[in-house]
Amino acid sequence: MMEPESSNEQEDLENLISRSGSQGNGLKSSSHRSHSTFQIGNDPKSSFSVRFKKRYIFAIILLISILVLCFTTDLKKLFRTRVSWIEDLGNSNSSVNRMRESELQALYLLKQQEFELLKMWNYTTLVNKSELNLVNGSNLVNSSSASSSMLEDLKSRVFSQISLNKQIQGVLLSSHENGTSMDLNENYTNASLLGWNRCGKVDQRLSERKTKEWNPRSNKYLFAICVSGQMSNHLICLEKHMFFAALLDRVLVIPSAKVDYEFQKVIDIEHINKCLGRKVVVTYEEFAESKKNHLQVDKFMCYFSLPQPCFVDDDHVKKLKDLGLTLSKIEAVWEEDVKEPKKRTVNDVLEKISSDDDVIAIGDVFFADIETEWVMQPGGPIAHKCKTLIEPSQFILLTAQRFIQTFLGKDFIALHFRRHGFLKFCNAKKPSCFFPVPQTAECINRVVERANSPVIYLSTDAAESETGLLQSLVVWNGKTVPLVQRPASNLAEKWDALLYRHGLAGDSQVEAMLDKAICGLSSVFIGSPGSTFTEDILRLRKDWGSASLCDEYLCQGELPNFIAEDE
């Protein structure tokens, strides 16, 4: 009975094998069939093995998929995109903050502009009133000069508002571009694009000069005497003597170094003769050589009578006599006080001081007030073919140019900051001209703003304590503006080699004239009010054509914010 059942099972197994097996396999042995995979269903261990293999295959497929994904995807870009999204969220808030900050800055600048425009409106009213007063006074020369000055000032104010408007535009645009912050002190407008230079050169109107020909009689001399003050006073005195010599048709005798400064070291005397094309000035040595047998002043006619005749003291008279000069009686031609000089004309001089004597002297004329507008005009009152007659010697002028090329460059401000003995001198004047260092720095900073110059040449006798403080306070656009002084002599520096070669190095008067030359060649000059050193620099600048519309006295139009009591 069991056999038929066994036979049936065997047939079923054979049928299964034949369906699932590959063709041509044939029947396996009974021992092989007992271990066939098709018997796993009947074996728990076989079932676990199948499940394990399936998981293993799935893991391999998953790993392959991840590798494919890594090779085909830019993970850095994916990460950056994520980070960028986060940054954009932060930048959005930052951009809003920048826009708000820019708008607040723009509002602040607009308020500034409103204030300045109101000042300009008031200024135009003042200009109209001033012009009306000048015209009613029939002073056409002053009217033209004042109108020109007012026009330049108005141009400066308008330019400032154009620059401020550009600045406001820049502030508003800054939040919409790259987000860079704007500098509220930066100048956004180039004046040259508007055809106007804020600190341009002054038009001296040389074609309108009124001049006097100097044609001296060869045997007639005017003996120059200058005793008041220091060298700058003596140079001004000498310049006025030249005018008197031209009026009187006389050769001017330059004072001897034994009684005055050694002028030949600091000015080019022969330059004066070349400018006129004839012998108009001689040194004392030349005069003495030509007058061997008659070395005397034939007539001493004093321009000033008070506080003493000719403003010459006994000590100076003794020095003149020690030269071998014989002096005539010293007499005043009129009553004239150096403290209150009267305005004199050419006719006054010709009437009172004309003489046929060979050698005359009129004493110190530094304080003489004669034909002021004529004498003080650019180039001076005498007809000549040079820019100016009295100027630094060629060695000093070349040394000044070499110093500028070495340390300053063409665009620099020059400051004459007089301090030694100036506190008492200025406080004796009303108003005082001695300013505290912080106030001085504020005034200088305003000029630096207008001139936009990178460096300042400092000509001063101030102590280092004052110049050090001043240097720390002179700041423009967030940067310290260097105050450059002439360094101590150094053989390694070649800019002053000319002075060494000609024996002029270390001479105090040569160094003073060198300072004048450097200041005279600057783009803009700030002078000390009340100083004849400053006045001589202003004369040079006027004559050389270097005077600027921005030239001014220190803290011009202001009073010192603190003044000490009198002794």
Side-chain angles (χ1 to χ4, degrees):
M1 293 293 298
M2 292 296 291
E3 290 180 4
E5 291 179 5
S6 178
S7 177
N8 292 337
E9 288 178 6
Q10 187 172 356
E11 288 177 2
D12 291 337
L13 288 172
E14 289 175 354
N15 291 335
L16 286 172
I17 291 171
S18 64
R19 292 192 192 106
S20 60
S22 58
Q23 294 181 357
N25 279 344
L27 295 174
K28 305 293 179 185
S29 64
S30 60
S31 63
H32 179 78
R33 284 198 299 270
S34 64
H35 297 284
S36 173
T37 56
F38 292 99
Q39 295 180 2
I40 289 176
N42 298 325
D43 191 348
K45 291 182 179 180
S46 297
S47 176
F48 172 77
S49 178
V50 170
R51 286 196 302 274
F52 178 78
K53 289 180 179 179
K54 287 181 178 178
R55 291 176 182 173
Y56 183 73
I57 293 170
F58 178 74
I60 291 174
I61 294 172
L62 182 61
L63 181 61
I64 292 172
S65 300
I66 291 172
L67 291 173
V68 171
L69 186 63
C70 286
F71 283 114
T72 58
T73 305
D74 187 351
L75 292 179
K76 290 183 179 179
K77 183 176 181 181
L78 187 65
F79 178 75
R80 280 199 303 267
T81 303
R82 174 66 178 173
V83 172
S84 178
W85 178 79
I86 295 172
E87 288 180 348
D88 286 346
L89 187 61
N91 288 340
S92 176
N93 293 330
S94 177
S95 178
V96 171
N97 291 335
R98 278 200 309 272
M99 288 182 67
R100 288 176 179 172
E101 182 181 351
S102 297
E103 288 168 354
L104 289 174
Q105 289 179 357
L107 285 172
Y108 167 74
L109 293 172
L110 283 169
K111 290 296 291 182
Q112 272 193 324
Q113 190 173 48
E114 179 188 19
F115 175 70
E116 291 298 328
L117 288 171
L118 285 171
K119 283 171 62 177
M120 286 174 61
W121 177 261
N122 294 332
Y123 182 76
T124 55
T125 304
L126 177 64
V127 170
N128 289 336
K129 288 182 179 178
S130 298
E131 288 184 341
L132 183 61
N133 291 337
L134 287 169
V135 171
N136 288 340
S138 301
N139 193 338
L140 298 180
V141 174
N142 289 340
S143 175
S144 174
S145 176
S147 297
S148 176
S149 175
M150 290 174 177
L151 178 60
E152 289 301 326
D153 193 13
L154 187 59
K155 283 181 179 180
S156 176
R157 292 170 185 265
V158 171
F159 173 78
S160 296
Q161 296 316 302
I162 295 172
S163 179
L164 183 59
N165 189 275
K166 292 283 188 183
Q167 188 177 353
I168 295 170
Q169 293 179 44
V171 167
L172 289 173
L173 288 172
S174 66
S175 61
H176 296 282
E177 294 177 350
N178 55 8
T180 55
S181 60
M182 304 300 289
D183 187 347
L184 291 177
N185 293 321
E186 187 175 349
N187 187 352
Y188 291 91
T189 304
N190 186 349
S192 62
L193 298 178
L194 302 176
W196 173 68
N197 184 358
R198 196 174 187 181
C199 291
K201 302 303 178 187
V202 176
D203 181 6
Q204 302 292 358
R205 301 182 181 179
L206 296 177
S207 61
E208 301 175 11
R209 279 183 67 206
K210 178 183 178 182
T211 59
K212 170 71 172 71
E213 293 291 335
W214 188 358
N215 295 305
R217 295 166 287 175
S218 60
N219 61 338
K220 303 295 181 181
Y221 297 92
L222 173 63
F223 196 93
I225 296 176
C226 299
V227 296
S228 61
Q230 299 182 20
M231 175 166 274
S232 294
N233 297 49
H234 287 227
L235 289 174
I236 294 171
C237 170
L238 202 61
E239 185 181 23
K240 290 184 178 180
H241 261 103
M242 289 166 56
F243 184 51
F244 280 100
L247 294 178
L248 300 170
D249 298 327
R250 291 177 174 270
V251 175
L252 183 67
V253 181
I254 303 296
S256 167
K258 294 180 180 179
V259 297
D260 207 330
Y261 290 103
E262 200 167 351
F263 289 109
Q264 287 174 290
K265 279 188 174 182
V266 295
I267 62 173
D268 189 345
I269 295 176
E270 195 54 38
H271 162 81
I272 301 172
N273 293 323
K274 289 178 181 178
C275 289
L276 278 92
R278 62 187 73 92
K279 197 77 168 179
V280 294
V281 294
V282 295
T283 64
Y284 175 79
E285 290 70 25
E286 290 175 308
F287 166 74
E289 182 66 24
S290 66
K291 292 286 186 179
K292 284 182 179 179
N293 300 322
H294 192 70
L295 195 58
Q296 68 179 41
V297 175
D298 300 315
K299 199 162 189 179
F300 224 131
M301 299 178 287
C302 299
Y303 186 94
F304 284 103
S305 59
L306 298 171
Q308 57 201 26
C310 287
F311 202 49
V312 176
D313 57 19
D314 292 339
D315 183 58
H316 197 82
V317 170
K318 182 178 183 302
K319 288 180 179 179
L320 290 173
K321 289 181 178 180
D322 288 344
L323 291 175
L325 275 172
T326 302
L327 305 179
S328 66
K329 183 180 179 180
I330 301 176
E331 296 179 313
V333 297
W334 51 41
E335 186 176 323
E336 189 80 6
D337 192 341
V338 295
K339 294 181 179 179
E340 296 179 0
K342 298 182 179 70
K343 290 186 179 295
R344 301 291 183 179
T345 66
V346 169
N347 290 333
D348 294 334
V349 172
L350 295 177
E351 180 183 342
K352 291 290 185 179
I353 305 180
S354 292
S355 172
D356 287 331
D357 292 287
D358 289 346
V359 183
I360 67 171
I362 57 176
D364 193 313
V365 291
F366 171 75
F367 295 100
D369 186 1
I370 174 172
E371 304 284 2
T372 303
E373 291 184 2
W374 190 2
V375 171
M376 298 300 292
Q377 66 183 333
I382 299 170
H384 57 83
K385 58 184 179 180
C386 300
K387 289 183 177 180
T388 186
L389 294 179
I390 297 180
E391 67 178 13
S393 70
Q394 190 67 9
F395 296 142
I396 294 176
L397 191 54
L398 284 173
T399 301
Q401 292 172 354
R402 290 179 178 184
F403 178 86
I404 292 170
Q405 183 177 359
T406 303
F407 295 100
L408 302 170
K410 70 172 185 176
D411 184 16
F412 71 98
I413 297 170
L415 167 65
H416 174 225
F417 189 44
R418 169 77 185 275
R419 300 301 268 185
H420 181 68
F422 220 46
L423 177 57
K424 184 176 181 179
F425 168 79
C426 278
N427 282 358
K429 300 178 68 175
K430 303 299 178 186
S432 174
C433 53
F434 192 91
F435 295 89
V437 171
Q439 186 178 359
T440 297
E442 290 178 6
C443 298
I444 295 169
N445 287 339
R446 288 196 292 270
V447 177
V448 172
E449 177 186 357
R450 292 201 304 274
N452 196 27
S453 296
V455 66
I456 297 173
Y457 176 67
L458 178 60
S459 172
T460 186
D461 54 8
E464 188 177 346
S465 56
E466 291 186 67
T467 58
L469 176 59
L470 183 64
Q471 174 63 92
S472 68
L473 296 174
V474 177
V475 179
W476 168 239
N477 205 14
K479 298 178 182 178
T480 299
V481 181
L483 300 179
V484 178
Q485 293 180 265
R486 282 185 296 103
S489 297
N490 187 333
L491 294 177
E493 294 176 352
K494 302 301 181 185
W495 61 271
D496 57 353
L498 276 175
L499 301 184
Y500 276 100
R501 288 205 299 267
H502 292 87
L504 300 173
D507 186 286
S508 60
Q509 296 307 320
V510 170
E511 290 180 348
M513 186 59 79
L514 178 59
D515 264 14
K516 286 184 181 181
I518 295 170
C519 291
L521 295 169
S522 65
S523 303
V524 173
F525 175 64
I526 306 171
S528 291
S531 167
T532 52
F533 191 94
T534 281
E535 294 305 319
D536 203 35
I537 293 170
L538 291 173
R539 176 190 65 83
L540 280 175
R541 292 178 62 77
K542 180 176 58 180
D543 292 354
W544 283 347
S546 58
S548 163
L549 294 168
C550 293
D551 287 359
E552 63 175 50
Y553 294 107
L554 184 63
C555 295
Q556 187 167 308
E558 295 185 28
L559 296 176
N561 58 29
F562 185 87
I563 300 176
E565 295 179 357
D566 294 334
E567 295 179 6

